Amino acid sequence: MDNIDFDHRPRRSCLYTPGINHKAMEKGKSLAADIIMLDLEDAVAPELKDEARNLVANIVSEKPYGKREIIIRMNEVSSPWAKDDLTMINAVKPDGALVPKVQTAQDIFDIDARLDDGIALWVMIEMPLAILNIQDIAAASQSTKLAGFIIGTNDLAKEYRATATPDRAAFQHALSVTLIAARAYNLIAIDGVYNDIQNASGLEDECRQGQIMGYDGKTLIHPNQIDITNRIFSPAIDDIEKARAIVAAFELPENRNKGVIKVDGKMTELLHLVEAKRLIAMHDAINASGDA
Ligand code: COA
Ligand code: MG
């Protein structure tokens, strides 16, 4: 990971790769995903956990992923593998550690104490209790390394006994409160996976749902999902042009001390200026990452 400002790093496409699949982990070195998430949890069978941990340790310690952010997903804290996973993570120092199935703020404090400084803490929001405790969990970021939420819609579906539908009706509450809690406490928020690998238009629709809600990006399971996701979660050219017009308008001498002006026929306030500058910063960061 290079030194783009943490808040303005593009995190549009976050590709899970099974920590047992050496070939896929190699492939990640040349893919256009913003984040590569090497998984030791759901994608690795119990009898292969130790082998996967060793494979991930070797590949991450070589630091071969360039500008891509590297996150390692460990096993559940209560599992027999968690201790060794954490030892390995602290040794190889990925950009982030992702912890599944957290449920309370205390879970955040406990894991944070065992994670070395300099490694960002990310957590899966995929348990009903996490949804009920979401504000307290987000607030734990004030005294910990907690940096972001990743929604786990597959686990939520199982826990809720919900049916997955294209409009994701069953998950609207979870998606909504998770995003709001993330924004209230300045955390990154990443949407869940889309399981139907061959269905590009279904993926595009679901990316748009998340992007409209305010999500920073989407977790992915296959390389062919990266381009669509990068496109939908990049600021649109139209929006960048509007943002530049807003910045330019507020810079005019006659507008210097104004809180509200008219830009292109629309009421435009200082809050729009803040959002315009954020969009431009994200656009610049995407250009700097070489994949606009
Ligand atoms: N990350 C990196 N590379 C991947 C990948 C992934 N998640 N999924 C597939 N690839 C690679 C394959 O290795 C293959 O590489 P090659 O062209 O060099 O041979 C290429 O992309 C095409 O793969 P394909 O044959 O279409 O898929 P597959 O049958 O090998 O794998 C899955 C299908 C679903 C098993 C696989 O995509 C996968 O494991 N996804 C992630 C699952 C996961 O991590 N789940 C946990 C979180 S929900
Ligand atoms: Mg899960």
Side-chain angles (χ1 to χ4, degrees):
M1 167 169 165
D2 49 28
N3 53 5
I4 296 174
D5 170 2
F6 189 85
D7 286 336
H8 289 137
R9 279 192 74 85
R11 295 188 174 91
R12 302 160 297 175
S13 48
C14 313
L15 178 66
Y16 285 110
T17 302
I20 196 67
N21 188 339
H22 190 261
K23 190 165 159 239
M25 289 195 285
E26 284 291 320
K27 199 174 178 72
K29 297 176 185 174
S30 61
L31 294 171
D34 292 327
I35 304 186
I36 302 285
M37 303 206 300
L38 304 177
D39 188 23
L40 300 174
E41 196 217 10
D42 289 340
V44 180
E47 53 279 10
L48 297 178
K49 296 288 188 190
D50 293 339
E51 188 182 337
R53 188 184 310 109
N54 288 334
L55 273 178
V56 167
N58 287 336
I59 206 153
V60 174
S61 51
E62 290 161 14
K63 310 261 174 236
Y65 287 98
K67 64 184 192 228
R68 295 166 201 81
E69 203 167 349
I70 301 302
I71 295 178
I72 299 177
R73 183 163 79 170
M74 62 180 284
N75 287 285
E76 229 177 302
V77 173
S78 62
S79 75
W81 308 291
K83 186 166 170 282
D84 289 343
D85 289 353
L86 265 168
T87 303
M88 181 274 280
I89 287 169
N90 283 332
V92 303
K93 304 196 183 328
D95 298 306
L98 173 58
V99 185
K101 300 186 175 71
V102 301
Q103 310 206 56
T104 64
Q106 192 59 47
D107 289 346
I108 307 296
F109 298 131
D110 292 347
I111 192 77
D112 184 69
R114 299 169 65 189
L115 188 66
D116 284 357
D117 286 348
I119 304 173
L121 173 58
W122 295 73
V123 295
M124 298 294 304
I125 301 299
E126 56 186 349
M127 298 296 281
L129 255 186
I131 301 300
L132 295 175
N133 290 327
I134 195 72
Q135 181 174 358
D136 288 345
I137 293 173
S141 63
Q142 291 169 313
S143 57
T144 65
K145 298 180 279 295
L146 181 60
F149 288 156
I150 297 186
I151 280 265
T153 32
N154 283 337
D155 268 290
L156 276 179
K158 165 180 163 276
E159 297 292 324
Y160 284 8
R161 300 180 198 152
T163 302
T165 53
D167 63 3
R168 295 198 290 177
F171 310 110
Q172 285 308 308
H173 175 76
L175 286 166
S176 196
V177 291
T178 299
L179 186 281
I180 294 166
R183 291 294 169 253
Y185 292 92
N186 197 25
L187 299 170
I188 313 295
I190 309 292
D191 198 354
V193 297
Y194 185 71
N195 296 324
D196 192 357
I197 295 169
Q198 301 306 329
N199 185 350
S201 70
L203 172 67
E204 180 160 347
D205 289 348
E206 211 176 274
C207 283
R208 261 188 226 291
Q209 287 172 9
Q211 189 268 333
I212 286 169
M213 292 185 86
Y215 275 86
D216 296 293
K218 190 165 182 65
T219 42
L220 309 178
I221 49 175
H222 193 280
N224 74 5
Q225 298 183 316
I226 295 172
D227 287 350
I228 290 172
T229 308
N230 280 349
R231 176 162 54 79
I232 305 289
F233 283 96
S234 296
I237 291 302
D238 270 10
D239 293 336
I240 292 298
E241 279 166 12
K242 283 180 197 147
R244 289 197 175 119
I246 290 170
V247 171
F250 273 106
E251 275 171 1
L252 291 173
E254 62 267 34
N255 291 335
R256 276 273 154 79
N257 295 318
K258 289 192 181 158
V260 58
I261 58 177
K262 198 161 69 177
V263 181
D264 196 23
K266 296 198 185 73
M267 178 186 80
T268 305
E269 297 175 301
L270 286 172
L271 68 92
H272 297 110
L273 178 62
V274 171
E275 176 57 8
K277 286 182 173 169
R278 189 192 68 79
L279 266 193
I280 292 168
M282 182 55 74
H283 178 72
D284 290 347
I286 290 167
N287 280 336
S289 78
D291 165 46

